[in-house]
Amino acid sequence: MSPLKSTSPRAVAANNFAYMPGFGNDFETESLPGALPHGMNSPQRPAYGLYAEQLSGSPFTAPRGTNERSWLYRIRPSVKHHQRFQSFKLPAWKSAPNAADQELSLAQMRWNPLPMPIGETNFIEGIRTMTTAGDVFGQAGMAAHAYVANADMVDDHFFNADGELLVVPQVGGLRFMTEMGVMEVQPGEICVLPRGLVFKVELMDGSSRGYVCENYGAKFTMPDRGPIGANCLANPRDFKTPVAWFEEKETPCRIIVKWCGSFHVTEIGHSPLDVVAWHGNYAPYKYDLSTFSPVGAILFDHPDPSIFTVLTAPSGEEGTANIDFVIFPPRWLVAENTFRPPWYHRNIMSEFMGLIHGQYDAKEEGFVPGGMSLHNMMLAHGPDATGFEKASRADLKPVKLENTMAFMFETRFPQLLTRYAASLDTLQDNYIDCWTDLKKRFNGTPEGDWS
């Protein structure tokens, strides 16, 4: 394992970069022996002179299945991790509602990758909001961001009171130094940072680019499998939560907070990443997308893309997600007499897509790794003309899609474009032309015209 990189004079980890498996488990972990109390949460005098503090991710009275909290045993309580706040500006990071931010007409949208930054830019400074949906004040909806970064957050730290962050690296690994442990996340992996969790980000490869889904609503959870049963899709054992780790650093630091769409900063004289031990079920986690076990049609037809859902954030309406996180991984195509790529459709859900690597089977040209697309509710979309022609004439033998990983942030809310996204030089003005060469095949005969 790589040695722990830290700017602190004393950073302690129990089994550096070790993880605990399982989704939504009640974990317990300590980085110093005996730091975690047993049989109780709040002893009169915790070991090592630590402070006991609860971090709640749900209302106290939430049902058992959705009640989430963790007990943290830290060097200083969080009330010592801020002084007076001051306003802070991150103008490229927007929150919903963000209506009338730009005047571009309604359309299907697609972008080439964001260029890497020229000036020094850390992860938080590099977040660029592409779309917003719902209402951050009502804790419903989401924002889709892209990020670029070329600098570490050395003494800057961040937490988001507005929602949890699902991070999808596309180029370059990220090291998330959080209150509750350290996660290294490479392209092909994702991580989720709960609402309120303090963290900073180091770059593992000098620079990084990727995507972020900011979830204002109920936490991401695993989707119900229904008739699929107990196995396949994302399996609980493949989600990894970091072991306890702490940083004891008595140097000037900053904490930046996102709260109701605005940003605030406070200065302190020590690191806030000082949790020596913790237990509970409210914690960060990461997931390797290659461990997703896809299911699909093994005789005919193309199932709905919901079969590729990794995580879902429920809304108040059963079966209608606040957000679905969906991937399109390597897989075998074997359906007989079937148009195998995703079919043409219009959808009540709104879809923001990205490509991590490889080629997406429905868009063989123009949708490149690091790129993005937006298909809002009820706007038609589907395979481009080249993909349609190829799939319509293919020899339908078993074919394996390899070297591909696309994803989708899908939400029940319309996704409103930001001014930044509408004015990007990487916006493909000719995206709609990818369907121009689709021909009329109807000629009144059952065979149609396939000339």
Side-chain angles (χ1 to χ4, degrees):
M1 295 183 180
S2 303
L4 179 67
K5 177 186 176 184
S6 177
T7 56
S8 96
R10 182 183 179 198
V12 178
N15 301 320
N16 291 355
F17 311 139
Y19 301 92
M20 300 173 286
F23 187 88
N25 291 5
D26 228 299
F27 297 104
E28 64 175 31
T29 174
E30 60 186 17
S31 54
L32 293 178
L36 192 68
H38 294 279
M40 63 185 306
N41 294 323
S42 186
Q44 184 181 25
R45 294 184 179 181
Y48 296 98
L50 301 174
Y51 288 86
E53 175 179 292
Q54 185 173 230
L55 176 62
S56 294
S58 65
F60 296 137
T61 54
R64 182 183 297 273
T66 57
N67 201 310
E68 294 184 311
R69 63 89 181 95
S70 288
W71 277 91
L72 316 180
Y73 302 91
R74 60 194 318 154
I75 296 172
R76 294 177 176 88
S78 289
V79 291
K80 291 288 289 182
H81 291 331
H82 68 83
Q83 298 295 326
R84 295 185 184 276
F85 284 101
Q86 296 180 345
S87 178
F88 190 79
K89 301 299 181 184
L90 289 172
W93 190 334
K94 303 293 184 183
S95 296
N98 190 46
D101 189 39
Q102 52 80 36
E103 299 176 355
L104 208 61
S105 295
L106 185 66
Q108 300 95 333
M109 303 281 184
R110 191 164 68 185
W111 295 263
N112 289 326
L114 296 186
M116 290 296 185
I118 297 175
E120 189 172 284
T121 305
N122 67 34
F123 176 79
I124 296 301
E125 295 166 340
I127 288 180
R128 312 285 188 248
T129 307
M130 302 297 292
T131 71
T132 63
D135 185 353
V136 72
F137 301 101
Q139 296 187 347
M142 56 159 280
H145 313 287
Y147 76 84
V148 287
N150 60 9
D152 294 341
M153 296 173 65
V154 178
D155 292 313
D156 279 354
H157 307 77
F158 180 81
F159 77 83
N160 190 344
D162 288 345
E164 64 182 343
L165 300 176
L166 188 160
V167 183
V168 186
Q170 187 266 323
V171 172
L174 299 173
R175 182 179 295 115
F176 289 89
M177 323 285 282
T178 84
E179 292 180 276
M180 302 175 76
V182 180
M183 297 186 298
E184 290 190 330
V185 187
Q186 296 280 3
E189 298 179 313
I190 63 167
C191 72
V192 174
L193 303 158
R195 186 193 305 259
L197 182 79
V198 178
F199 67 90
K200 66 179 180 180
V201 182
E202 294 180 349
L203 306 182
M204 298 173 61
D205 301 296
S207 61
S208 184
R209 179 175 63 210
Y211 314 89
V212 178
C213 181
E214 182 180 7
N215 173 22
Y216 305 146
K219 278 182 84 269
F220 280 112
T221 187
M222 298 180 67
D224 292 331
R225 292 189 179 100
I228 295 173
N231 303 291
C232 293
L233 309 187
N235 290 301
R237 64 178 296 202
D238 296 318
F239 290 85
K240 310 295 185 184
T241 293
V243 299
W245 166 90
F246 73 93
E247 185 176 59
E248 187 180 8
K249 184 168 69 171
E250 307 290 326
T251 58
C253 293
R254 298 196 305 176
I255 299 180
I256 301 160
V257 180
K258 183 174 186 284
W259 193 91
C260 288
S262 61
F263 296 89
H264 309 269
V265 65
T266 187
E267 297 183 0
I268 56 177
H270 52 268
S271 170
L273 307 179
D274 64 355
V275 176
V276 177
W278 64 269
H279 76 86
N281 63 352
Y282 190 67
Y285 57 88
K286 74 173 200 170
Y287 176 75
D288 183 344
L289 298 177
S290 70
T291 64
F292 185 86
S293 178
V295 298
I298 55 174
L299 189 59
F300 64 89
D301 276 352
H302 190 298
D304 293 333
S306 51
I307 60 169
F308 299 121
T309 301
V310 180
L311 293 168
T312 185
S315 70
E317 183 177 346
E318 186 175 358
T320 305
N322 182 63
I323 308 169
D324 283 330
F325 174 63
V326 180
I327 65 171
F328 301 97
R331 60 199 183 275
W332 280 95
L333 303 179
V334 299
E336 301 173 358
N337 191 29
T338 294
F339 184 78
R340 289 177 174 176
W343 18 252
Y344 297 100
H345 71 292
R346 293 174 292 162
N347 191 356
I348 194 170
M349 305 287 276
S350 297
E351 305 170 358
F352 179 92
M353 285 193 67
L355 184 61
I356 300 171
H357 64 82
Q359 185 181 72
Y360 180 54
D361 60 328
K363 298 287 195 305
E364 296 194 359
E365 300 291 337
F367 189 39
V368 299
M372 297 160 279
S373 69
L374 174 65
H375 301 129
N376 253 313
M377 62 176 187
M378 293 305 170
L379 286 185
H381 53 286
D384 58 25
T386 301
F388 176 83
E389 286 295 322
K390 183 177 178 180
S392 298
R393 302 177 189 275
D395 179 9
L396 292 181
K397 59 185 179 182
V399 174
K400 187 177 183 181
L401 292 180
E402 297 187 278
N403 185 33
T404 182
M405 185 62 75
F407 73 89
M408 180 165 62
F409 302 147
E410 185 178 65
T411 177
R412 62 178 298 185
F413 299 99
Q415 297 194 45
L416 303 182
L417 212 61
T418 62
R419 182 180 300 275
Y420 174 81
S423 58
L424 264 176
D425 291 340
T426 60
L427 178 63
Q428 297 179 11
D429 293 332
N430 63 344
Y431 175 36
I432 197 168
D433 295 340
C434 76
W435 297 294
T436 298
D437 291 336
L438 290 170
K439 300 176 182 179
K440 178 183 176 182
R441 301 292 183 182
F442 178 80
N443 66 358
T445 68
E447 296 80 13
D449 178 9
W450 290 93
S451 60

